[in-house]
Amino acid sequence: MASNPVTHLAPIDYAVMAVYFAAVLGVGWSLRRGMRTSTDFFLSGRSLSPWITGVAFISANLGAQEVIGMGASGAKYGIATSHFYWIGAIPAMVFVGLFMMPFYYGSRARSVPEYLRLRFDEKTRTLNAVSFAVMTIFSSGVSMYAMGKLLNLLLGWNFDVSILVAAVIVLAYVLLGGLTSAIYNEVLQFFLIVFGFAPLVALGLHAVGGWDGLTARLAEVATTRGLPANAYTSSWANMGDAARNPIGVEWFGLVMGLGFVLSFGYWCTDFLVVQRAMAADSMTAARRTPLIAAVPKMLFPFLVILPGMIALVLGAEHATGIGQGLVPAKLAAGGAPLLDGSGRVVLDYDLATPMMLVRLFPAGMLGLGLTALLASFMSGMAGNVTAFNTVWTYDIYQSHIRRGASDAHYLWMGRIATVGGILLAIAAAYVASAFNNIMDLLQLVFAFVNAPLFATFALGMFWRRTTGHGAFVGLLSGTLAAAIHHGLTLPAGTHPGVKGGFLGVLHTYPSELAQTFWTAIVAWTTCFVVTILVSLATRPRAPDELRGLVYSLTPRPSDRALPWFRRPWTLAVIVLGLTLALNLVFF
């Protein structure tokens, strides 16, 4: 699976990449002797400062779906992609810091599924553990696919070899240093991504005449596609009508589907990010972790979305002569441009940011930019693998396959699970090729897994009457409802299959995201209602058994001894105020 390369790297570019690979392997090697127990390997011994865990909290989310996927969404949907941050992340990150971490950290649960066992029962825990394991494999596979595709198309490297090399490097440093190695490398990757992409945005804006020039060019694209002139540069102005914005969703579907269900479902229940906060050295540090992470998170649209928006209008040069700006057409197996159900060329939005790097960066800088991309891919892979090996070992293997074994045995199994997770992720990488925007695929997976799970968590933490039977049946019903809704609907211009419609087409949505948002709403609502009904028909646990697991039965953490600027509530108010200001500026 080779291709004619778009560019060639200079020796200095290869040198930059080699230094990075040596650094990440060096981190793993230096930490290997500290991995004496399973707690060291899976939870870093709960010994890290909130500044380390805070950067890791956001960096674990800085995989391919963030850097490549958000650039792709910027080209596809414009500045409205910022909703994934300013309503689709920040409020939920504040909520998990203030309200959720006291349960996770205080219960001493080693994973999110283990908290479900403590609050509900073993079957609810197992259902979540299995679904989460599948989700992490898909997420890691997406990162592998994006990296292999990037190196294949840009540099002509063999797709399969590219995936294999990255998998071996991630496997090496996770096996050596466990979660601590992943976290320290995520901190390194965070700064590498910032320093790699800030110059790209500056050069891109200069090339199109600044923000005013970008606005004018995007207005031409918008009117050509039958949208209002400000469709790509206003985040809220056109959300009153699904037909007037590129996302193809009205404000309720956006706020409820993304801002509430998908956002809170991901940030509050996804063990991938929660695991980083649980590695903090105290309850206060664990609560501050997502709040510290929220500050750079709210600024990341300017680093990862703007390159995609600029790529859409920066130039029409491409080998095939078909595409939009720097965004090329997605090619079919025979090399011809792929067409959608309406006969229009399908754009390969995932290449928006990489094409910007190739177009604007000189030798040396290109190596830094590509290394930043590789860092994002490997960060996403490592984050998912460390979450997978923990859930597999504690929530599946220890609970159902080998109870009562020694700690050394579970440490050994965690390393075996790391190898198995990498191998499964390689297989999942090939599934991702059906989508022209990997963010669309990831959001669909979240709609099936995280949306119903958030309903379970919300009821379990804030309604003591919720029962284990209600949680289990509700989770199953929510996931089934998501599958039925997805199977009966289809995005415009697509064919029945992995994108929906496999049960028949009762409704057509304007875009994949619009369909996904409503899939999430259906899944959450179904789980919420079914859990309540089944809980009312079954016997609840005694209040004494729920202390520390339900909000009304748990002592509130006190921060009075801390200086005001270190208190979680102070950080929360500052973060929410800044986020509101950003929404108003780009209204």
Side-chain angles (χ1 to χ4, degrees):
M1 188 173 177
S3 67
N4 295 320
V6 173
T7 189
H8 292 86
L9 297 184
I12 189 173
D13 297 318
Y14 282 110
V16 171
M17 296 170 69
V19 169
Y20 166 71
F21 288 136
V24 297
L25 291 174
V27 169
W29 181 258
S30 66
L31 294 171
R32 72 193 190 284
R33 292 182 179 176
M35 300 300 107
R36 297 185 178 90
T37 69
S38 63
T39 302
D40 294 331
F41 188 76
F42 295 121
L43 290 173
S44 299
R46 293 193 168 188
S47 61
L48 303 180
S49 77
W51 297 101
I52 296 292
T53 55
V55 173
F57 191 91
I58 182 176
S59 191
N61 184 245
L62 274 179
Q65 62 264 40
E66 181 92 2
V67 178
I68 295 294
M70 285 302 179
S73 295
K76 191 173 184 179
Y77 306 119
I79 198 65
T81 308
S82 64
H83 290 307
F84 281 97
Y85 295 82
W86 299 336
I87 71 163
I90 304 302
M93 292 170 75
V94 170
F95 184 83
V96 72
L98 295 180
F99 297 103
M100 303 287 279
M101 284 315 302
F103 296 105
Y104 289 139
Y105 198 91
S107 69
R108 307 300 289 181
R110 297 168 298 182
S111 67
V112 169
E114 187 167 55
Y115 171 80
L116 289 176
R117 179 187 66 80
L118 296 172
R119 172 60 183 90
F120 296 117
D121 53 28
E122 187 63 51
K123 63 180 182 295
T124 306
R125 170 208 209 174
T126 303
L127 176 61
N128 174 239
V130 172
S131 62
F132 176 77
V134 172
M135 185 179 71
T136 56
I137 292 301
F138 267 100
S139 296
S140 189
V142 163
S143 291
M144 286 189 180
Y145 160 73
M147 187 207 58
K149 175 183 173 183
L150 169 76
L151 297 179
N152 173 251
L153 293 177
L154 293 189
L155 305 177
W157 294 1
N158 182 275
F159 179 84
D160 305 303
V161 172
S162 299
I163 285 180
L164 185 61
V165 170
V168 168
I169 292 174
V170 170
L171 180 63
Y173 76 73
V174 173
L175 276 179
L176 288 168
L179 178 64
T180 307
S181 177
I183 285 178
Y184 279 123
N185 275 312
E186 283 161 3
V187 173
L188 169 65
Q189 289 153 353
F190 171 82
F191 289 106
L192 188 59
I193 290 166
V194 170
F195 290 123
F197 280 84
L200 181 67
V201 174
L203 291 172
L205 284 175
H206 180 266
V208 296
W211 178 256
D212 291 338
L214 179 61
T215 301
R217 294 196 190 190
L218 286 172
E220 296 177 7
V221 175
T223 52
T224 300
R225 297 182 177 181
L227 296 169
N230 65 344
Y232 286 95
T233 52
S234 296
S235 59
W236 286 102
N238 301 298
M239 284 294 164
D241 183 352
R244 289 177 58 82
N245 65 80
I247 293 183
V249 66
E250 73 297 331
W251 70 268
F252 178 81
L254 178 79
V255 173
M256 182 67 179
L258 173 63
F260 180 64
V261 177
L262 283 173
S263 171
F264 281 73
Y266 175 76
W267 292 102
C268 295
T269 69
D270 195 316
F271 184 56
L272 167 64
V273 289
V274 170
Q275 186 182 29
R276 273 69 192 154
M278 291 172 69
D281 57 14
S282 67
M283 170 71 81
T284 300
R287 296 180 71 205
R288 290 170 61 203
T289 291
L291 300 171
I292 292 171
V295 177
K297 183 71 174 179
M298 74 174 69
L299 301 176
F300 257 80
F302 303 112
L303 280 182
V304 297
I305 295 175
L306 277 181
M309 296 170 62
I310 296 168
L312 195 64
V313 298
L314 186 55
E317 303 86 7
H318 189 258
T320 64
I322 300 173
Q324 176 74 52
L326 291 179
V327 184
K330 192 174 181 69
L331 302 180
L338 193 65
L339 303 179
D340 64 17
S342 304
R344 293 173 297 191
V345 172
V346 176
L347 296 179
D348 201 342
Y349 291 108
D350 288 336
L351 287 178
T353 298
M355 294 303 293
M356 282 280 289
L357 290 171
V358 171
R359 171 69 180 268
L360 296 177
F361 273 1
M365 285 296 295
L366 179 58
L368 178 63
L370 288 176
T371 302
L373 284 182
L374 290 176
S376 74
F377 302 141
M378 294 171 62
S379 173
M381 291 163 57
N384 281 287
V385 167
T386 53
F388 171 83
N389 64 25
T390 304
V391 168
W392 164 264
T393 303
Y394 285 149
D395 299 298
I396 298 176
Y397 182 79
Q398 185 180 34
S399 299
H400 300 285
I401 300 174
R402 182 74 182 275
R403 296 175 182 266
S406 66
D407 186 77
H409 178 81
Y410 293 127
L411 176 59
W412 171 84
M413 174 47 62
R415 292 196 161 107
I416 295 297
T418 303
V419 177
I422 289 283
L423 293 176
L424 290 172
I426 291 174
Y430 293 90
V431 177
S433 60
F435 287 74
N436 71 338
N437 180 350
I438 56 175
M439 179 54 70
D440 291 347
L441 171 60
L442 263 297
Q443 294 303 317
L444 180 61
V445 173
F446 294 157
F448 274 74
V449 178
N450 287 347
L453 180 61
F454 175 54
T456 303
F457 266 86
L459 287 170
M461 286 188 169
F462 297 102
W463 187 44
R464 70 174 74 174
R465 185 68 178 75
T466 313
T467 67
H469 295 307
F472 180 77
V473 176
L475 269 179
L476 276 181
S477 301
T479 305
L480 181 61
I484 293 173
H485 178 269
H486 187 67
L488 293 174
T489 61
L490 199 64
T494 60
H495 303 285
V498 70
K499 292 190 177 184
F502 47 83
L503 298 178
V505 182
L506 296 184
H507 181 71
T508 300
Y509 286 97
S511 69
E512 288 95 336
L513 274 185
Q515 179 197 34
T516 296
F517 290 167
W518 280 101
T519 297
I521 292 171
V522 169
W524 184 89
T525 304
T526 301
C527 180
F528 192 81
V529 172
V530 170
T531 301
I532 291 175
L533 294 177
V534 176
S535 293
L536 291 174
T538 51
R539 178 179 298 177
R541 294 172 63 184
D544 287 343
E545 299 177 14
L546 299 177
R547 298 195 185 282
L549 301 172
V550 177
Y551 187 77
S552 61
L553 299 174
T554 301
R556 310 292 186 270
S558 176
D559 303 312
R560 293 178 181 177
L562 295 174
W564 66 270
F565 55 86
R566 295 184 61 191
R567 296 174 186 172
W569 276 97
T570 303
L571 288 173
V573 170
I574 294 172
V575 165
L576 291 176
L578 292 174
T579 305
L580 176 61
L582 286 170
N583 273 290
L584 293 175
V585 168
F586 291 93
F587 186 86

